[in-house]
Amino acid sequence: MTPPDSAALDSLLARPLARRPILLNYGFSGDFEDQRACSAAIRRGSKSFHLASLLLPGPTREAARALYAFCRHSDDLIDDPRSGMPALQRLRVRLDLIYAGDPAPFACDRAFARVVHDHAIAKPVVEALLDGFAMDLDGRRHATIDDVKAYATCVAASVGLMMASVMGVSDRAALARAADLGIAMQLTNIARDVGEDARNGRLYLPLDWLEEQGIDVAAFLETPHFTPALGLVVRRLLDEAARHYRLGHAGIRSLPKPCRHAIRTAALVYEAIGESIAANGYDSVNHRATTGLSTKLGLLIKARSDDRRWTATAVRDLHAGTEPVARSLVTLSGLLRESAPMQRAVKPTSDAETAVGRVTDILLRLHTDARLETLRRREAAREKAASLA
């Protein structure tokens, strides 16, 4: 493959955001309100990623939340049964506008436009995410584990590469490990959601693995139920995820030091979901694996240090080959990061900030969030009861 020239690379980068004159915004740029909307999206959408984002340095945290908000908003649109392919086509048009520097009037689009420009994120990496959504809309089944990982590369490794770019990573080996971590998390998602997906007519498990276990796909989708044979398929998928987690952990050591705690926390929380699936006997049809707040907090504290499980193999794992299905995106991300103007380094975090005080502050925030969520649920229950009276 001939590396693209500089002009071709430039064509894959976002143009600067066309900003409205500040006088037309009554003295405000609008950036702050966009960021607030993105922060609210991650709080509502994923407790695990919200927890991890709290550990990132300020500017990186803001960029990560904008990235998450756009991806989550897009995913929600595609999941809406009333949407279909027209929604995906609208997303593709919105992505074109984002890269032209003239985003559609959505907070997540404006915030994401700033991120892809400031951090030299290649448009094909984001397009891969939309390609994954197209697979969902097509109801595509995956014949082999490589096909499953091709899907995971689109919907998750692409996000891992975007996050690595936000953190200023340009080393190809570290980018490959970011892709591995994304694949591992998506395989965990698939293992956790087997029952829910089947009840919605979706199936992401490798068809050849199901055939080997004598599982009739049509019968399973018609009446989703757990069998020991299905448990073996789920276990095999989690074993594959474990290999990618090991590689992903090797890459965390190559991230800027202030970012490692957050990414390691996210990895450990997702690994814990896999452990919960195993504790349920690999039955993710009748049970949905979760991790409680106390487990997350324990992993948050554990994630402050390197994972000792992989110390002996870390160097070898860092330089392992790139997953074939992710190779083109990793190569492109590396080329663009290498050719991009030098970014300001992530500011090292002070000892005081990384000490117990920082973790305590996060624990207090999470406790407050949990308390408010409980109060909201109680109020909703009271309103429902009153309406039925």
Side-chain angles (χ1 to χ4, degrees):
M1 175 181 172
T2 304
D5 58 28
S6 59
L9 288 174
D10 287 344
S11 70
L12 303 178
L13 293 172
R15 296 177 62 83
L17 184 64
R19 296 178 183 272
R20 280 162 51 92
I22 198 164
L23 290 177
L24 295 182
N25 287 318
Y26 305 98
F28 296 94
S29 68
D31 293 5
F32 177 72
E33 289 302 319
D34 290 346
Q35 192 58 48
R36 280 186 61 183
C38 294
S39 297
I42 196 171
R43 264 198 314 275
R44 290 191 306 268
S46 173
K47 290 181 175 60
S48 298
F49 286 124
H50 178 233
L51 169 61
S53 74
L54 292 172
L55 298 163
L56 289 168
T60 308
R61 179 169 62 248
E62 292 179 3
R65 287 178 173 178
L67 189 162
Y68 175 90
F70 179 80
C71 295
R72 181 72 190 199
H73 172 78
S74 303
D75 190 44
D76 287 345
L77 281 180
I78 298 303
D79 277 348
D80 187 333
R82 299 165 296 178
S83 298
M85 280 296 179
L88 180 59
Q89 294 307 318
R90 289 193 294 272
L91 278 175
R92 293 194 187 279
V93 171
R94 285 167 60 181
L95 185 61
D96 289 340
L97 292 173
I98 285 169
Y99 271 79
D102 187 23
F106 297 93
C108 61
D109 288 38
R110 292 189 296 265
F112 190 56
R114 289 186 280 272
V115 170
V116 295
H117 172 262
D118 293 347
H119 299 281
I121 295 176
K123 189 178 182 183
V125 176
V126 191
E127 288 174 327
L129 177 67
L130 303 190
D131 291 342
F133 294 156
M135 295 181 196
D136 283 332
L137 291 174
D138 285 340
R140 184 174 305 183
R141 305 279 164 77
H142 307 290
T144 67
I145 185 61
D146 287 338
D147 294 333
V148 175
K149 288 197 279 191
Y151 168 74
T153 294
C154 288
V155 298
S158 61
V159 180
L161 290 170
M162 287 187 252
M163 275 297 302
S165 295
V166 162
M167 290 181 283
V169 175
S170 58
D171 178 72
R172 303 282 182 89
L175 289 169
R177 303 292 74 85
D180 279 308
L181 189 53
I183 290 171
M185 289 179 169
Q186 187 59 32
L187 295 183
T188 303
N189 277 337
I190 291 171
R192 179 192 62 193
D193 296 339
V194 170
E196 180 181 339
D197 287 335
R199 285 185 282 272
N200 289 315
R202 294 179 175 178
L203 183 69
Y204 296 94
L205 298 172
L207 296 180
D208 60 346
W209 289 6
L210 293 169
E211 184 179 353
E212 287 173 20
Q213 293 300 326
I215 296 172
D216 184 312
V217 169
F220 173 68
L221 289 174
E222 183 176 350
T223 310
H225 61 284
F226 177 75
T227 63
L230 182 63
L232 290 175
V233 174
V234 173
R235 179 175 183 173
R236 190 173 176 185
L237 187 68
L238 289 173
D239 287 344
E240 191 66 26
R243 183 176 72 84
H244 288 283
Y245 279 121
R246 191 193 76 226
L247 295 172
H249 276 289
I252 292 173
R253 294 165 175 256
S254 297
L255 300 177
K257 192 171 183 180
C259 299
R260 295 174 194 170
H261 189 186
I263 305 307
R264 192 178 291 115
T265 297
L268 290 177
V269 168
Y270 260 74
E271 284 185 89
I273 293 172
E275 292 166 4
S276 179
I277 296 169
N280 289 331
Y282 301 99
D283 178 2
S284 49
V285 176
N286 300 308
H287 306 280
R288 180 179 169 85
T290 59
T291 53
L293 181 59
S294 60
T295 299
K296 288 186 175 78
L297 297 181
L299 294 173
L300 180 150
I301 294 170
K302 179 181 177 181
R304 294 175 64 194
S305 304
D306 286 342
D307 196 323
R308 294 182 180 177
R309 291 176 297 171
W310 316 122
T311 301
T313 61
V315 174
R316 183 195 69 197
D317 289 340
L318 175 62
H319 297 287
T322 304
E323 187 67 32
V325 292
R327 190 169 293 143
S328 61
L329 292 183
V330 169
T331 300
L332 181 59
S333 295
L335 286 170
L336 281 171
R337 295 297 312 151
E338 290 163 3
S339 63
M342 184 64 70
Q343 280 183 270
R344 183 173 58 187
V346 176
K347 183 180 178 182
T349 314
S350 66
D351 290 342
E353 192 176 5
T354 57
V356 176
R358 172 66 172 154
V359 174
T360 301
D361 178 57
I362 292 172
L363 299 184
L364 289 172
R365 285 200 223 178
L366 290 171
H367 175 74
T368 300
D369 286 349
R371 184 171 178 273
L372 289 174
E373 181 65 22
T374 300
L375 291 174
R376 280 194 292 267
R377 287 178 180 174
R378 287 176 180 171
E379 182 63 28
R382 281 196 294 268
E383 291 176 359
K384 183 177 180 180
S387 68
L388 296 174

